[in-house]
Amino acid sequence: MPQASEPKLISGNANRPLAEAIARRMSMHRGQSVGLLDARVERFNDMEIFVEVYENVRGEDMFIIQPTSNPANDNLMELLIMADALKRSSAARTTAVIPYFGYARQDRRTKARTPISAKLVANLISQSGIERVLTMDLHAAQIQGFFDVPVDNLYASPVFALDIMHQFKGRLDKVTVVSPDVGGVARARELAQRIGCALAIVDKRREKAGEVAEMTVIGDVKGQTCLIVDDMCDTAGTLCKAADVLIENGAKEVHAYTTHGVMSGPAVGRITNSQLKSVVITDTIQPTKPVRDAANIRIVPTAPIFAQAILNIWNGTSVSSLFSHETLSAIYEGMY
């Protein structure tokens, strides 16, 4: 049932271009202007965060758009402080739109005396006054259960499926979707089923974090166009080495589709000088200038799917309808 109040958006400093794009898409869908709330999110001289909201939000349905990407701690604190400001201003409901959820890689205890940081962050968010979370491609699906509030986890695979069917039209029979590790098989299989392609796996043995010791290919990739699918690209070491291994095993060409372009340290240089013909990322994390300028990195927008998801939450209608690339084809009409 439609709400009496209007959906209102507020953005931190983590990815304001995405927030503005979401507002534009919502304006187009609703046929009336939807803008970002007039507010300031600034720093004191000692780098403490200060938030001030200039508009009345009493009784309003609020959506905070703020990925917790690098610098993760600053962006997380901005999110929490904005949530507190809205709660103390009597907002009716506050939804955190977190396109990229930081600390998601620390979702379990892999060794003795280590934290489960994803659970700690979930607790902080749940206690800050946020009543719902909207995110995309959590590193581990079980993180949804860490929250004491409802979580809607969108998937990039329907958007990637549209892009792949457009980019590789007429030669999908020669395309193989590749998981860069055993843990990502479910994600790769789901995309392969969407586009009707074969599946292969790169088995990697990691000596320590950030380093890959050994890789072997499970499946036949000879003469195939390989699409490596992953949820994030950090230093790009895994992607680039996987591309090398696939080429060594007879792949014709290698592309990569990764949701979150973290792109730390040497990532852009590695991708530019690698055997990857293209790397497709989304804008859940605001891309830096080197990422935007890289010849073989392409960015697909997430504003259309996030704008529709926000409207569905506000209207009290299904968000899971956005899990289908057939549904998204109308939302992304004109792009593919």
Side-chain angles (χ1 to χ4, degrees):
M1 183 177 177
Q3 304 293 318
S5 62
E6 294 296 311
K8 288 197 172 182
L9 311 180
I10 182 171
S11 173
N13 297 311
N15 195 344
R16 195 167 179 91
L18 175 59
E20 292 169 347
I22 290 171
R24 287 195 299 271
R25 291 291 303 197
M26 289 177 64
S27 299
M28 185 178 72
H29 288 318
R30 304 205 65 228
Q32 63 186 72
S33 178
V34 176
L36 297 178
L37 204 69
D38 187 13
R40 62 172 175 152
V41 183
E42 298 177 351
R43 301 288 190 276
F44 288 114
N45 290 333
D46 63 354
M47 300 310 291
E48 286 184 2
I49 296 164
F50 175 75
V51 172
E52 185 176 5
V53 179
Y54 294 124
E55 297 181 34
N56 179 28
V57 297
R58 184 180 297 273
E60 299 288 357
D61 199 356
M62 300 300 307
F63 295 84
I64 306 172
I65 303 172
Q66 178 81 343
T68 51
S69 49
N70 185 33
N73 298 335
D74 287 358
N75 289 330
L76 175 60
M77 282 304 300
E78 281 190 11
L79 172 64
L80 299 176
I81 294 171
M82 283 189 288
D84 187 71
L86 295 175
K87 179 176 70 172
R88 295 176 188 281
S89 302
S90 301
R93 180 178 68 170
T94 301
T95 299
V97 181
I98 311 174
Y100 170 73
F101 181 75
Y103 286 105
R105 283 173 282 188
Q106 300 176 47
D107 64 308
R108 63 194 184 281
R109 292 188 67 191
T110 55
K111 297 178 182 178
R113 298 175 295 282
T114 57
I116 305 179
S117 303
K119 172 58 176 168
L120 173 62
V121 171
N123 288 345
L124 291 170
I125 290 172
S126 299
Q127 294 298 316
S128 68
I130 289 167
E131 297 172 59
R132 190 179 199 97
V133 172
L134 174 64
T135 187
M136 176 173 277
D137 274 350
L138 285 169
H139 186 64
Q142 67 265 23
I143 292 174
Q144 295 174 79
F146 292 178
F147 288 87
D148 295 325
V149 297
V151 177
D152 292 303
N153 184 31
L154 299 176
Y155 300 100
S157 62
V159 182
F160 287 159
L162 290 175
D163 188 87
I164 291 166
M165 288 186 285
H166 174 74
Q167 297 292 329
F168 301 95
K169 187 176 182 180
R171 54 191 180 113
L172 286 174
D173 57 325
K174 290 292 185 181
V175 169
T176 296
V177 175
V178 179
S179 173
D181 53 41
V182 175
V185 170
R187 182 184 299 107
R189 183 192 296 119
E190 196 268 342
L191 180 58
Q193 289 174 340
R194 283 183 186 275
I195 60 178
C197 293
L199 175 68
I201 304 166
V202 174
D203 179 36
K204 69 180 179 183
R205 311 290 171 88
R206 194 187 292 272
E207 294 288 332
K208 58 182 179 179
E211 292 185 10
V212 178
E214 179 185 353
M215 283 188 166
T216 54
V217 177
I218 303 171
D220 184 14
V221 297
K222 190 173 182 179
Q224 293 288 298
T225 296
C226 291
L227 309 181
I228 303 172
V229 179
D230 210 349
D231 67 314
M232 70 173 68
C233 175
D234 191 350
T235 61
T238 296
L239 275 186
C240 295
K241 187 160 185 179
D244 292 340
V245 172
L246 290 167
I247 293 294
E248 289 168 10
N249 280 264
K252 183 180 177 183
E253 58 186 50
V254 182
H255 304 258
Y257 280 80
T258 63
T259 307
H260 308 297
V262 180
M263 299 297 178
S264 303
V268 175
R270 282 177 174 172
I271 291 170
T272 301
N273 298 314
S274 72
Q275 300 201 65
L276 287 161
K277 196 163 184 182
S278 71
V279 173
V280 180
I281 62 174
T282 73
D283 57 357
T284 55
I285 297 172
Q286 184 174 347
T288 61
K289 189 175 187 303
V291 171
R292 294 194 305 270
D293 293 345
N296 57 343
I297 297 178
R298 188 159 53 85
I299 303 165
V300 297
T302 56
I305 187 171
F306 274 112
Q308 190 62 55
I310 289 170
L311 288 172
N312 288 7
I313 290 171
W314 172 67
N315 276 311
T317 55
S318 172
V319 173
S320 62
S321 62
L322 302 177
F323 297 170
S324 165
H325 64 269
E326 287 87 356
T327 302
L328 288 185
S329 62
I331 297 172
Y332 278 81
E333 189 173 6
M335 296 185 190
Y336 299 112

